[in-house]
Amino acid sequence: MSYKDPVAASARKYKPIQSAVPGTTLGPIPIDAFLGGEKLYDTPGVHLHHRQAAVIHAEDLPTLAPQSRLRGQVFPSSGKNLDSQIANRMRSSGLSGLSIFWGGLVRIDVLKVLPETCLTFYGPKALQTHVVPTEEADEFYQKELGVLLTPPTGKEKADDWMGLETKRQLQIKYEDIER
C-alpha cells in the first residue's frame, strides 16, 4: 500500500509480510488500510499438518498450484451462480447461518455477522467454492466429498481422506458499525 499510495506511506500503512514459510500469520491481524478508517484483516491460511503433500493425494496437488494471478472470490457476490434459496437468504440476512466450502479442504460456518459483511477467498480457480445452509453442511460434506467438493478427487480417495480436523473460532469486534 505504501509503495503506490503516498497517503498510506505518510500514515505508515504497510503491507503484511509475505512469506513462503507456512504459519507466518498466526492469528487475525487488523490493518488500517483505508482512508475512511475501515480495516482489512489478514488471517491465517490453510494449514494441513505443515505440508499439503503429506495430506493431499499426489494427483490432486496440481489443482492447488495457481496457474495464474490469484483473484479473490467475494461472498456474497451477485456474480456467483447460487441456488435461488441461498441467493435470497444472502440478500435478506447476508452470510449468517451459511457454510462456505472451499473444495473439500476448508469449511467456514458463518455464525453471526452484520448483513453487509463480505468474505474474500484467494486461491487457485480450480478450487471451487460452494455455499449451503449450515444446518445442511454436514450432510452436504458427506454426500459431495470427492464429487463436488474436490480435492480429494473421486469417492475412492474421499474414503481415505482424513477430513476437516482443525476447528478455529474467529471473533472480530468492531467499535463503529460504519467501519
Side-chain angles (χ1 to χ4, degrees):
M1 288 175 274
S2 64
Y3 298 114
K4 295 183 180 180
D5 184 354
V7 174
S10 66
R12 297 186 180 271
K13 296 185 186 322
Y14 302 102
K15 290 182 180 180
I17 296 171
Q18 179 181 359
S19 173
V21 178
T24 301
T25 305
L26 301 177
I29 301 170
I31 302 166
D32 295 319
F34 305 100
L35 294 176
E38 294 86 358
K39 293 194 183 303
L40 174 71
Y41 286 87
D42 182 12
T43 59
V46 178
H47 298 283
L48 299 172
H49 299 285
H50 307 295
R51 292 184 54 224
Q52 290 177 344
V55 179
I56 308 287
H57 291 281
E59 303 86 47
D60 289 332
L61 282 173
T63 304
L64 300 178
Q67 302 300 313
S68 61
R69 184 175 182 177
L70 298 180
R71 289 198 166 44
Q73 295 182 57
V74 179
F75 289 94
S77 169
S78 57
K80 182 103 171 111
N81 292 333
L82 297 172
D83 174 90
S84 61
Q85 174 192 2
I86 298 292
N88 289 336
R89 192 167 171 170
M90 281 183 168
R91 276 192 289 280
S92 66
S93 58
L95 296 171
S96 292
L98 295 175
S99 293
I100 302 170
F101 287 94
W102 203 10
L105 302 177
V106 176
R107 171 181 167 179
I108 296 178
D109 295 334
V110 182
L111 304 178
K112 183 179 176 184
V113 294
L114 295 171
E116 58 272 14
T117 300
C118 294
L119 296 176
T120 306
F121 295 86
Y122 289 90
K125 290 178 185 176
L127 201 54
Q128 296 295 308
T129 52
H130 298 277
V131 182
V132 298
T134 300
E135 61 271 12
E136 299 171 16
D138 290 337
E139 181 181 340
F140 180 79
Y141 182 76
Q142 294 301 320
K143 179 182 173 194
E144 299 298 344
L145 184 64
V147 182
L148 278 179
L149 300 176
T150 59
T153 305
K155 279 293 188 184
E156 320 76 51
K157 291 180 191 167
D159 291 340
D160 297 334
W161 184 249
M162 51 198 222
L164 303 172
E165 294 183 355
T166 303
K167 183 176 180 178
R168 293 185 184 167
Q169 186 163 354
L170 173 65
Q171 184 174 11
I172 299 174
K173 296 182 181 186
Y174 61 91
E175 294 175 16
D176 181 355
I177 195 168
E178 296 302 318
R179 293 183 178 185

